[in-house]
Amino acid sequence: MRRARLPARHPATAAALLPHLERAVRESYGPDPAVDGDYGRIVTRGHAERLAGLLEGQPVAVGGTVDVDGRHIAPTIVPGADPDSPLMREEIFGPILPSCTWARRGRRSPSSGSDPIRWRCTCSATTAGCAGPSPTTPHRARCASACRRRTWVPGAPVRRVGASGMGAYHGERSFDTFSHDRSVLHKPLHPDTARLLYPPYRGWGTRLIVRLFHGTA
């Protein structure tokens, strides 16, 4: 759930999905992820405080347990997150999954602000709905019915915005982004094929150049 946001195509789809997500968390980490040896901790206390702040005022359907001193944030699902809240405007980098819905394809999503929502994966009751909220919705990379599987495809770039960087990364795109291409032209001194371009501009050489470039003498 790192940096993920889940748009489900219809509110009914989101409601039907919720118990499956809750069951998946329980099957992975048991009834209390805080004591599960397979569930990790947030790297620093500062990041735990930041994640706790992102959850303030948000509706929580699953998880929501926060222990800043223990650097523990339970796997948390936030249905109907406020699109103008920091949770939907900032990078998450934590086990928090906001869930958003849209009613019909092509409708402008809540990401129309200057700092767009980073869609990660989509869920729909039909295969046709897996393309995402809208072809014009700003996103860095989109996965349909998968999460982060795009990292398995070396040729699939990831777009970066703002504090996360610039350009597109992953595979060859990373090399291109951090490469500074420069051209070098080497012309031997002899023979001097550009001699006709030097002054003084008169005689047959000048007439030849004028004819080549302008078609008249």
Side-chain angles (χ1 to χ4, degrees), residues 27-67:
E27 290 176 351
S28 297
Y29 304 114
D32 185 5
V35 298
D36 188 272
D38 293 328
Y39 189 67
R41 291 293 190 268
I42 307 303
V43 176
T44 66
R45 191 181 191 280
H47 282 298
E49 291 177 342
R50 179 183 59 83
L51 292 171
L54 294 179
L55 286 176
E56 289 183 2
Q58 296 288 355
V60 173
V62 176
T65 303
V66 175
D67 178 6

Side-chain angles (χ1 to χ4, degrees), residues 106-214:
R107 183 177 181 181
R108 194 162 180 80
S109 73
S111 62
S112 57
S114 59
D115 188 14
I117 296 172
R118 282 73 166 175
W119 302 110
R120 289 300 172 192
C121 53
T122 64
C123 179
S124 173
T126 63
T127 304
C130 285
S134 167
T136 59
T137 300
H139 66 284
R140 296 179 179 179
R142 180 178 293 167
C143 296
S145 302
C147 185
R148 300 195 64 80
R149 303 293 172 84
R150 57 172 173 72
T151 59
W152 298 1
V153 184
V158 179
R159 184 176 67 93
R160 295 298 180 185
V161 176
S164 284
M166 59 186 294
Y169 305 168
H170 196 214
E172 184 179 357
R173 296 297 185 94
S174 297
F175 183 85
D176 293 339
T177 294
F178 293 104
S179 296
H180 186 87
D181 294 336
R182 291 170 291 180
S183 59
V184 177
L185 186 145
H186 176 75
K187 188 189 82 65
L189 294 176
H190 302 286
D192 189 358
T193 54
R195 182 68 186 86
L196 294 177
L197 300 177
Y198 307 152
Y201 299 115
R202 52 182 172 269
W204 68 270
T206 299
R207 291 194 297 272
L208 176 62
I209 294 300
V210 170
R211 179 176 293 276
L212 289 175
F213 284 94
H214 300 284

